[in-house]
Amino acid sequence: MSGRQARQERSGPGTMLGDRETGTGMGSNTHIERITATAAMDRARANALRKYPAPDKDGDRLYPLASPNCAPSFQIGKDDTIFAIGSCFARNVEKSLEAAGKRVLSREFELGEIGESLGDAANFFNKYSIHSVANEVRWALERDTFPGADLIYPMGRGRFCDSQLGMAKLEFPLDDILAFRHRYLDAMAQVATADVVILTLGYVETWYDTKLGLYLNVPPPNPLIKEEPDRFEFRVLSYSDVLDGLNEIYDLLVKHRKKPLKMLVTVSPVPLLSTFRNMDVLVANAYSKSVQRAALDEFLLGKDGVDYFPSYEYVTLSNPSIAWSRGDYRHVSPDVINRIMSNVLISYVEGAEVDLAGLAPAEGITPDALASSVRMMSKLEDFNAIIDLVGKHREMADSDVDILLAEASALRRADRNEDSFVALEKAVAAAPGRPIPLERLISMCRPLHRKDLARELMVRHKEKFPGRENFRERIDWL
């Protein structure tokens, strides 16, 4: 099915296309969608996900972990390469996809001495506003547009700054910095050769260099602001600003790619750390995310092979205690990211089992995502949910000792000691070189009144793990 056919199916019969449906009517007075009332009623009756979840109906689609669905308009080949660009959330996406066995070109780069000296070079690919993304894509694919040395701000004492890459201080000769910059653009140019491009939008609070006519990726250094106070501006992007940037990136990709474009776009759920606007950061962040999310719906119109994936909704609608790591409400839990990317892989990768309506994976989940889900449910002490989930993916769970241990704990909390014992036996078999499964199996013998078996297991424990005498000393009930 082509992307256009998929979009028509989502729109249903009776669709009236305005100028924006072709992607050419930007700024015209049309609508995101316009269909007849009859078509709208018919489509609503056929939409199983039409009504917002309630505690007594479909509540598990929202809490504790939201599971918004997507309708893929294209397929990702098993051997397709991926390039991710955008905010720091794109780096999370890369790591998860790479761990799942996908080849991620945006993590393949050679940046030389400067790149190696500045920590995690992958962070150089963080682009926090749509114009920062557009700048790098344009310079990478049309190298004659690159500003060169004008982009590198002198900071005195042999130091320089590149506010497009976000590096505050570069203590290298200018020629070396420019050579590094071109190596970076060579890596960025892989966006034209990757099979799939993933774009994550970050923020709309931006900085503008009026002298260069250029949006920056991060604020200019304070010494430069003091030296030229009228050169730099703080700008908050509008809906049309975001849409213009999206369309520029799309046009550049279509122009320079030799293969059809397959593109996933989303909004990063990572909120603003702080705001430069004269308002509460909560309000500023709501505008920042919502205006980009709204612009994406219009951007998608008429573009084959470009889909929105709801990672923003996935995180922000979920229980905060499992959605965020570090307890800071800003860094997305790796377990949640694994679940998000599991949905991407199952929904988009060829050969994955997907619901015929294109709305949801048919009980599909990757091993990493299953382990992540079990960990998140453990945090919430939702033991019945762990038991149900593991039971649905029995074969996959039986090959993962950590999932089996979590299942055993959940079964014990549910007063299902016999079943917990079986799960622990599987855990011991799955990881005979780890002491914890065997120790828990020995401990489980006590409520089941299996002292003879416990003694046999203790002998095995002493043979395999002689240095774990502390555990054996605690077993005083034999």
Side-chain angles (χ1 to χ4, degrees), residues 260-282:
L261 177 62
K262 292 188 283 189
M263 185 176 187
L264 285 174
V265 293
T266 191
V267 175
S268 167
V270 178
L272 287 165
L273 175 62
S274 59
T275 182
F276 286 88
R277 303 185 71 183
N278 188 26
M279 61 175 62
D280 188 326
V281 67
L282 300 178

Side-chain angles (χ1 to χ4, degrees), residues 376-393:
M376 288 186 286
M377 292 172 181
S378 296
K379 290 180 182 178
L380 295 171
E381 299 186 350
D382 193 344
F383 304 114
N384 289 329
I386 293 173
I387 295 167
D388 290 343
L389 180 64
V390 172
K392 290 179 181 178
H393 305 282

Side-chain angles (χ1 to χ4, degrees), residues 107-126:
R107 290 184 66 82
E108 297 180 6
F109 44 77
E110 175 51 59
L111 301 181
E113 178 188 0
I114 295 180
E116 293 175 1
S117 70
L118 294 170
D120 187 357
N123 290 329
F124 300 158
F125 291 84
N126 290 349

Side-chain angles (χ1 to χ4, degrees), residues 201-213:
L201 302 186
Y203 311 134
V204 296
E205 294 194 9
T206 63
W207 300 87
Y208 189 78
D209 184 333
T210 61
K211 182 177 180 179
L212 297 181

